[in-house]
Amino acid sequence: MIFPTVEFGIFFLIVFVISWAVRGLPEARKLFLVGASYFFYAWWDWRFLGLLFLSTLISYIAGLAVARAEREGLRKFIVGISTVSHLAILGFFKYYGFFLVSFAALLEAVGLERDLPFMQVILPIGISFFTFQGISYVVDIYRGHVTAERSLLNVTLYISFFPQLVAGPIVRAADFLPQLHRPAALTREYLGIGLVLILSGLAKKMVIANYLATELVDPVFFDPGMVSALDLLIGIYGYAVQIYCDFSGYSDIAIGVAALLGYRFLDNFNQPYRAASLQDFWRRWHISLSTWLRDYLYVPLGGNRGGEVKTYRNLFLTMFLGGIWHGAAWTFVFWGAFHGAMLAAERYMKGKLEEFAPSHTDPGGFIATIGNGARYVVGVIWTFHLVCFAWIFFRADSFSTASDYIAGFARWGDPSLYVTPFAAGLIAIAMFFQFTPVRLGNWLARGVEYLPAPLLAVLFGGGIWVIWAIAPEGVAPFIYFQF
């Protein structure tokens, strides 16, 4: 079931009405939302409902065990067993085929071909997201950031809540579980946030992302060796916008739907293409994942403690493993390794640059303003193109396709086949909104809060109709469903 479909609209309308009809019975409401979430997941493939519940049960039992254990060694052991169990499930379903194929290729390269136990393994949708939530829940109990839940129902709803189940954002237990202990209420604030985010998410996905995918990105990446350098350049700009609008659009809808059900998720994107450094980019892009990697991988590795060399190592390993999380392919491995290496190099160069030419700190001086402004503009342009280069490997289906794409930048004399004013206009509009006031969405939501309910319904319904009317036919799956 995909968000921008009639099926989901009917499903959510039923869930919305019933969930608020039983708001006076908190446990019944939570049980209903769990049932709705499992139905939502079963719409994809009912065979994996047991896997979803198994992941939940591991987290629930491990959380209680950690809370009751008194010896530190036993607490660590329980956390380790829980984490290994989660990762073993994720590794089998997501990486079994990748590692077996890679191992077979290695054996063939050294002349030791063997018949290996190949079998077709279906990747359960959303497994990476609910696995990470299960791991963080147990770790946070161990760290004392959250209290172990005695209610299996609460943990089940936390892991399976349908708005974020299949593509995030990765919700922290400390942010969500306390909301289950308060009476649910649909405030004007939540109503405004929900409606504005749902409309913005639909517009991003159905109009900008889908048009760029079908009319520019997909044709250019299908055979990059046959198109011009201009097509390739605008094509990768188009993909940068497409993946942002696709994924942030999903996050907007997920956060908006949760708000209409009375729950608040944290923001998952914050205008990432206005970042003036890779470090800043990762503070703005897929925030729930980048902070998860920071808190549960980078910090346990040592973070920035232990000297510069270990910091560079930890940055590289964190992003390298982040690349592997995104997909079972060597292109994703390279993408993560590239970001890790560039983050380490950026940290090193930033330190050297500050020694050679310290940034101006006097905000009132004209020279300081010009100097810092120039640094920012150069930083934004450099960071954006560095990210775009890495996107080539993220989008390409193989290293061969990626190398053809990069080699094609030499064909500047060839005519363009896919660059149109419409595609360029969509890219320009999306990039314009990267530099609007940060709280623009909140201002719009606050304005919506005070509208009469009938007018609000008309505007929301009209907005959906307009988006549906101008969007291309068909509904493409969200890019992050494959992760």
Short mmCIF file of all heavy atoms in Angstrom, two decimals, residues 102-147:
data_model
loop_
_atom_site.label_atom_id
_atom_site.label_comp_id
_atom_site.label_asym_id
_atom_site.label_seq_id
_atom_site.Cartn_x
_atom_site.Cartn_y
_atom_site.Cartn_z
N SER A 102 29.18 -12.62 -4.24
CA SER A 102 30.54 -12.08 -4.13
C SER A 102 31.54 -13.17 -3.78
O SER A 102 32.66 -13.21 -4.31
CB SER A 102 30.57 -10.97 -3.06
OG SER A 102 29.70 -9.92 -3.39
N PHE A 103 31.15 -14.10 -2.90
CA PHE A 103 32.03 -15.19 -2.51
C PHE A 103 32.28 -16.13 -3.69
O PHE A 103 33.40 -16.61 -3.90
CB PHE A 103 31.42 -15.95 -1.34
CG PHE A 103 32.31 -17.03 -0.78
CD1 PHE A 103 33.60 -16.74 -0.33
CD2 PHE A 103 31.87 -18.33 -0.70
CE1 PHE A 103 34.42 -17.73 0.19
CE2 PHE A 103 32.68 -19.34 -0.18
CZ PHE A 103 33.96 -19.03 0.26
N ALA A 104 31.23 -16.39 -4.48
CA ALA A 104 31.37 -17.24 -5.66
C ALA A 104 32.33 -16.61 -6.66
O ALA A 104 33.16 -17.31 -7.27
CB ALA A 104 30.01 -17.49 -6.29
N ALA A 105 32.22 -15.29 -6.83
CA ALA A 105 33.12 -14.59 -7.75
C ALA A 105 34.56 -14.66 -7.27
O ALA A 105 35.50 -14.81 -8.07
CB ALA A 105 32.67 -13.14 -7.91
N LEU A 106 34.75 -14.56 -5.95
CA LEU A 106 36.10 -14.66 -5.39
C LEU A 106 36.68 -16.05 -5.60
O LEU A 106 37.85 -16.19 -6.00
CB LEU A 106 36.06 -14.32 -3.89
CG LEU A 106 37.38 -14.44 -3.14
CD1 LEU A 106 38.40 -13.45 -3.69
CD2 LEU A 106 37.16 -14.20 -1.64
N LEU A 107 35.89 -17.08 -5.37
CA LEU A 107 36.36 -18.45 -5.60
C LEU A 107 36.71 -18.68 -7.05
O LEU A 107 37.72 -19.33 -7.38
CB LEU A 107 35.28 -19.45 -5.15
CG LEU A 107 35.01 -19.55 -3.64
CD1 LEU A 107 33.89 -20.55 -3.38
CD2 LEU A 107 36.27 -19.96 -2.88
N GLU A 108 35.89 -18.14 -7.93
CA GLU A 108 36.16 -18.30 -9.36
C GLU A 108 37.44 -17.58 -9.75
O GLU A 108 38.22 -18.08 -10.58
CB GLU A 108 34.98 -17.74 -10.16
CG GLU A 108 35.13 -17.92 -11.68
CD GLU A 108 33.93 -17.40 -12.43
OE1 GLU A 108 32.94 -16.99 -11.80
OE2 GLU A 108 33.99 -17.40 -13.68
N ALA A 109 37.69 -16.43 -9.16
CA ALA A 109 38.88 -15.65 -9.49
C ALA A 109 40.16 -16.38 -9.11
O ALA A 109 41.20 -16.22 -9.76
CB ALA A 109 38.83 -14.28 -8.81
N VAL A 110 40.10 -17.20 -8.05
CA VAL A 110 41.31 -17.92 -7.61
C VAL A 110 41.28 -19.39 -8.07
O VAL A 110 42.11 -20.19 -7.62
CB VAL A 110 41.46 -17.85 -6.07
CG1 VAL A 110 41.64 -16.41 -5.63
CG2 VAL A 110 40.26 -18.48 -5.37
N GLY A 111 40.34 -19.71 -8.95
CA GLY A 111 40.28 -21.05 -9.50
C GLY A 111 39.74 -22.12 -8.58
O GLY A 111 40.10 -23.29 -8.70
N LEU A 112 38.87 -21.73 -7.65
CA LEU A 112 38.30 -22.69 -6.69
C LEU A 112 36.78 -22.69 -6.77
O LEU A 112 36.07 -22.61 -5.76
CB LEU A 112 38.75 -22.36 -5.27
CG LEU A 112 40.26 -22.44 -4.98
CD1 LEU A 112 40.56 -21.94 -3.58
CD2 LEU A 112 40.76 -23.89 -5.14
N GLU A 113 36.24 -22.79 -7.99
CA GLU A 113 34.79 -22.76 -8.15
C GLU A 113 34.12 -23.88 -7.34
O GLU A 113 34.61 -25.00 -7.31
CB GLU A 113 34.40 -22.91 -9.62
CG GLU A 113 34.84 -21.75 -10.50
CD GLU A 113 36.22 -21.98 -11.11
OE1 GLU A 113 36.96 -22.87 -10.60
OE2 GLU A 113 36.55 -21.30 -12.08
N ARG A 114 33.02 -23.53 -6.70
CA ARG A 114 32.26 -24.50 -5.92
C ARG A 114 30.76 -24.26 -6.14
O ARG A 114 30.33 -23.15 -6.46
CB ARG A 114 32.56 -24.35 -4.41
CG ARG A 114 33.96 -24.75 -4.02
CD ARG A 114 34.20 -26.24 -4.10
NE ARG A 114 35.50 -26.63 -3.57
CZ ARG A 114 36.63 -26.59 -4.26
NH1 ARG A 114 36.62 -26.17 -5.52
NH2 ARG A 114 37.76 -26.97 -3.69
N ASP A 115 29.99 -25.33 -5.98
CA ASP A 115 28.53 -25.18 -5.99
C ASP A 115 28.10 -24.67 -4.62
O ASP A 115 28.28 -25.35 -3.61
CB ASP A 115 27.86 -26.52 -6.28
CG ASP A 115 28.07 -26.96 -7.72
OD1 ASP A 115 28.22 -26.07 -8.58
OD2 ASP A 115 28.10 -28.18 -7.97
N LEU A 116 27.54 -23.46 -4.59
CA LEU A 116 27.13 -22.84 -3.33
C LEU A 116 25.62 -22.91 -3.18
O LEU A 116 24.88 -23.01 -4.17
CB LEU A 116 27.60 -21.38 -3.30
CG LEU A 116 29.13 -21.19 -3.38
CD1 LEU A 116 29.47 -19.70 -3.42
CD2 LEU A 116 29.81 -21.85 -2.20
N PRO A 117 25.13 -22.85 -1.95
CA PRO A 117 23.68 -23.01 -1.70
C PRO A 117 22.88 -21.76 -2.03
O PRO A 117 22.36 -21.06 -1.15
CB PRO A 117 23.63 -23.31 -0.19
CG PRO A 117 24.82 -22.64 0.37
CD PRO A 117 25.90 -22.75 -0.69
N PHE A 118 22.77 -21.45 -3.34
CA PHE A 118 22.00 -20.29 -3.75
C PHE A 118 20.51 -20.56 -3.58
O PHE A 118 20.02 -21.66 -3.85
CB PHE A 118 22.27 -19.96 -5.22
CG PHE A 118 23.59 -19.31 -5.46
CD1 PHE A 118 24.68 -20.06 -5.88
CD2 PHE A 118 23.75 -17.95 -5.26
CE1 PHE A 118 25.91 -19.46 -6.10
CE2 PHE A 118 24.98 -17.35 -5.48
CZ PHE A 118 26.06 -18.11 -5.90
N MET A 119 19.78 -19.57 -3.11
CA MET A 119 18.32 -19.65 -3.06
C MET A 119 17.75 -18.24 -3.13
O MET A 119 18.43 -17.27 -2.76
CB MET A 119 17.84 -20.37 -1.81
CG MET A 119 18.27 -19.75 -0.51
SD MET A 119 17.66 -20.71 0.90
CE MET A 119 18.43 -19.85 2.27
N GLN A 120 16.53 -18.16 -3.62
CA GLN A 120 15.89 -16.87 -3.78
C GLN A 120 15.34 -16.40 -2.44
O GLN A 120 14.49 -17.06 -1.84
CB GLN A 120 14.75 -16.97 -4.81
CG GLN A 120 14.12 -15.65 -5.17
CD GLN A 120 15.07 -14.76 -5.98
OE1 GLN A 120 15.90 -15.27 -6.74
NE2 GLN A 120 14.98 -13.47 -5.81
N VAL A 121 15.86 -15.26 -1.96
CA VAL A 121 15.41 -14.71 -0.69
C VAL A 121 14.70 -13.39 -0.96
O VAL A 121 15.28 -12.47 -1.55
CB VAL A 121 16.60 -14.48 0.28
CG1 VAL A 121 16.10 -13.85 1.57
CG2 VAL A 121 17.30 -15.80 0.58
N ILE A 122 13.44 -13.30 -0.56
CA ILE A 122 12.66 -12.08 -0.75
C ILE A 122 12.99 -11.10 0.37
O ILE A 122 13.01 -11.47 1.55
CB ILE A 122 11.15 -12.38 -0.75
CG1 ILE A 122 10.82 -13.37 -1.88
CG2 ILE A 122 10.33 -11.12 -0.89
CD1 ILE A 122 9.38 -13.85 -1.86
N LEU A 123 13.26 -9.85 0.00
CA LEU A 123 13.58 -8.83 1.00
C LEU A 123 12.30 -8.27 1.59
O LEU A 123 11.51 -7.64 0.88
CB LEU A 123 14.40 -7.70 0.36
CG LEU A 123 14.77 -6.54 1.28
CD1 LEU A 123 15.71 -7.02 2.38
CD2 LEU A 123 15.41 -5.41 0.48
N PRO A 124 12.05 -8.48 2.87
CA PRO A 124 10.85 -7.90 3.50
C PRO A 124 10.94 -6.38 3.50
O PRO A 124 11.95 -5.80 3.91
CB PRO A 124 10.88 -8.45 4.92
CG PRO A 124 11.82 -9.62 4.88
CD PRO A 124 12.83 -9.28 3.82
N ILE A 125 9.89 -5.73 3.06
CA ILE A 125 9.91 -4.27 2.98
C ILE A 125 10.01 -3.68 4.39
O ILE A 125 9.40 -4.17 5.34
CB ILE A 125 8.65 -3.76 2.26
CG1 ILE A 125 8.79 -2.27 1.95
CG2 ILE A 125 7.40 -4.02 3.06
CD1 ILE A 125 7.75 -1.76 0.97
N GLY A 126 10.84 -2.66 4.52
CA GLY A 126 10.97 -1.95 5.78
C GLY A 126 11.82 -2.64 6.83
O GLY A 126 11.93 -2.14 7.95
N ILE A 127 12.45 -3.78 6.50
CA ILE A 127 13.17 -4.54 7.52
C ILE A 127 14.32 -3.74 8.13
O ILE A 127 14.59 -3.84 9.33
CB ILE A 127 13.67 -5.88 6.95
CG1 ILE A 127 14.28 -6.74 8.07
CG2 ILE A 127 14.66 -5.68 5.82
CD1 ILE A 127 14.62 -8.15 7.64
N SER A 128 14.98 -2.92 7.33
CA SER A 128 16.09 -2.12 7.87
C SER A 128 15.60 -1.13 8.91
O SER A 128 16.26 -0.88 9.92
CB SER A 128 16.80 -1.37 6.73
OG SER A 128 17.38 -2.27 5.82
N PHE A 129 14.42 -0.56 8.67
CA PHE A 129 13.91 0.48 9.57
C PHE A 129 13.43 -0.12 10.89
O PHE A 129 13.77 0.38 11.96
CB PHE A 129 12.80 1.27 8.87
CG PHE A 129 13.30 2.11 7.74
CD1 PHE A 129 13.31 1.63 6.44
CD2 PHE A 129 13.78 3.39 7.98
CE1 PHE A 129 13.77 2.41 5.40
CE2 PHE A 129 14.25 4.18 6.94
CZ PHE A 129 14.25 3.68 5.64
N PHE A 130 12.61 -1.19 10.83
CA PHE A 130 12.14 -1.70 12.11
C PHE A 130 13.22 -2.47 12.87
O PHE A 130 13.17 -2.59 14.09
CB PHE A 130 10.83 -2.50 11.99
CG PHE A 130 10.88 -3.79 11.20
CD1 PHE A 130 11.51 -4.92 11.69
CD2 PHE A 130 10.21 -3.89 9.98
CE1 PHE A 130 11.51 -6.12 10.99
CE2 PHE A 130 10.19 -5.08 9.26
CZ PHE A 130 10.85 -6.20 9.77
N THR A 131 14.24 -2.95 12.15
CA THR A 131 15.39 -3.56 12.84
C THR A 131 16.16 -2.51 13.63
O THR A 131 16.52 -2.73 14.80
CB THR A 131 16.33 -4.24 11.84
OG1 THR A 131 15.65 -5.34 11.21
CG2 THR A 131 17.58 -4.76 12.53
N PHE A 132 16.42 -1.36 13.03
CA PHE A 132 17.15 -0.30 13.73
C PHE A 132 16.36 0.23 14.92
O PHE A 132 16.93 0.58 15.95
CB PHE A 132 17.48 0.84 12.75
CG PHE A 132 18.78 0.64 12.02
CD1 PHE A 132 19.29 -0.63 11.82
CD2 PHE A 132 19.50 1.71 11.53
CE1 PHE A 132 20.49 -0.83 11.14
CE2 PHE A 132 20.70 1.53 10.86
CZ PHE A 132 21.20 0.25 10.67
N GLN A 133 15.03 0.30 14.80
CA GLN A 133 14.23 0.75 15.94
C GLN A 133 14.31 -0.26 17.07
O GLN A 133 14.39 0.12 18.25
CB GLN A 133 12.78 0.97 15.51
CG GLN A 133 12.58 2.22 14.69
CD GLN A 133 11.14 2.67 14.62
OE1 GLN A 133 10.83 3.55 13.83
NE2 GLN A 133 10.25 2.12 15.40
N GLY A 134 14.28 -1.55 16.73
CA GLY A 134 14.38 -2.58 17.77
C GLY A 134 15.71 -2.54 18.49
O GLY A 134 15.78 -2.67 19.72
N ILE A 135 16.80 -2.33 17.73
CA ILE A 135 18.14 -2.27 18.34
C ILE A 135 18.23 -1.05 19.26
O ILE A 135 18.70 -1.14 20.41
CB ILE A 135 19.22 -2.22 17.25
CG1 ILE A 135 19.29 -3.55 16.50
CG2 ILE A 135 20.58 -1.87 17.86
CD1 ILE A 135 20.23 -3.53 15.30
N SER A 136 17.79 0.10 18.78
CA SER A 136 17.94 1.33 19.57
C SER A 136 17.11 1.26 20.84
O SER A 136 17.49 1.82 21.88
CB SER A 136 17.53 2.55 18.73
OG SER A 136 16.15 2.52 18.40
N TYR A 137 15.96 0.59 20.80
CA TYR A 137 15.11 0.48 21.99
C TYR A 137 15.86 -0.22 23.12
O TYR A 137 15.90 0.28 24.26
CB TYR A 137 13.84 -0.30 21.64
CG TYR A 137 12.99 -0.68 22.84
CD1 TYR A 137 12.31 0.28 23.57
CD2 TYR A 137 12.88 -2.02 23.23
CE1 TYR A 137 11.54 -0.07 24.67
CE2 TYR A 137 12.11 -2.38 24.33
CZ TYR A 137 11.44 -1.41 25.05
OH TYR A 137 10.69 -1.76 26.14
N VAL A 138 16.49 -1.35 22.84
CA VAL A 138 17.21 -2.10 23.87
C VAL A 138 18.44 -1.33 24.34
O VAL A 138 18.72 -1.25 25.55
CB VAL A 138 17.61 -3.49 23.35
CG1 VAL A 138 18.38 -4.26 24.41
CG2 VAL A 138 16.37 -4.28 22.93
N VAL A 139 19.18 -0.74 23.41
CA VAL A 139 20.37 0.02 23.78
C VAL A 139 20.00 1.22 24.65
O VAL A 139 20.70 1.54 25.63
CB VAL A 139 21.14 0.47 22.51
CG1 VAL A 139 22.29 1.41 22.89
CG2 VAL A 139 21.67 -0.73 21.75
N ASP A 140 18.91 1.89 24.33
CA ASP A 140 18.50 3.05 25.11
C ASP A 140 18.07 2.66 26.53
O ASP A 140 18.27 3.43 27.48
CB ASP A 140 17.35 3.79 24.42
CG ASP A 140 17.84 4.64 23.25
OD1 ASP A 140 19.07 4.78 23.11
OD2 ASP A 140 17.00 5.15 22.49
N ILE A 141 17.50 1.47 26.68
CA ILE A 141 17.18 0.98 28.03
C ILE A 141 18.47 0.75 28.80
O ILE A 141 18.60 1.15 29.97
CB ILE A 141 16.35 -0.32 27.95
CG1 ILE A 141 14.96 -0.03 27.38
CG2 ILE A 141 16.23 -0.96 29.34
CD1 ILE A 141 14.15 -1.27 27.11
N TYR A 142 19.44 0.15 28.15
CA TYR A 142 20.74 -0.10 28.80
C TYR A 142 21.41 1.22 29.20
O TYR A 142 21.99 1.32 30.29
CB TYR A 142 21.65 -0.87 27.83
CG TYR A 142 23.08 -0.97 28.30
CD1 TYR A 142 23.46 -1.86 29.30
CD2 TYR A 142 24.06 -0.14 27.74
CE1 TYR A 142 24.77 -1.93 29.73
CE2 TYR A 142 25.38 -0.21 28.17
CZ TYR A 142 25.72 -1.10 29.16
OH TYR A 142 27.02 -1.17 29.59
N ARG A 143 21.30 2.23 28.36
CA ARG A 143 21.94 3.52 28.65
C ARG A 143 21.14 4.36 29.63
O ARG A 143 21.62 5.41 30.08
CB ARG A 143 22.14 4.30 27.35
CG ARG A 143 23.15 3.69 26.40
CD ARG A 143 23.22 4.47 25.10
NE ARG A 143 24.28 3.99 24.22
CZ ARG A 143 24.50 4.44 22.97
NH1 ARG A 143 23.72 5.41 22.48
NH2 ARG A 143 25.48 3.95 22.24
N GLY A 144 19.92 3.94 29.94
CA GLY A 144 19.09 4.70 30.86
C GLY A 144 18.34 5.85 30.22
O GLY A 144 17.81 6.72 30.92
N HIS A 145 18.25 5.86 28.88
CA HIS A 145 17.54 6.93 28.18
C HIS A 145 16.04 6.70 28.16
O HIS A 145 15.27 7.63 27.87
CB HIS A 145 18.07 7.06 26.75
CG HIS A 145 19.50 7.46 26.69
ND1 HIS A 145 20.27 7.34 25.54
CD2 HIS A 145 20.34 7.97 27.63
CE1 HIS A 145 21.50 7.75 25.78
NE2 HIS A 145 21.57 8.15 27.03
N VAL A 146 15.62 5.46 28.37
CA VAL A 146 14.20 5.14 28.35
C VAL A 146 13.95 3.98 29.32
O VAL A 146 14.86 3.16 29.56
CB VAL A 146 13.74 4.76 26.92
CG1 VAL A 146 14.37 3.46 26.46
CG2 VAL A 146 12.23 4.67 26.82
N THR A 147 12.77 3.94 29.88
CA THR A 147 12.41 2.87 30.80
C THR A 147 11.83 1.70 30.02
O THR A 147 11.07 1.90 29.06
CB THR A 147 11.36 3.37 31.82
OG1 THR A 147 11.90 4.50 32.51
CG2 THR A 147 11.01 2.28 32.81
#
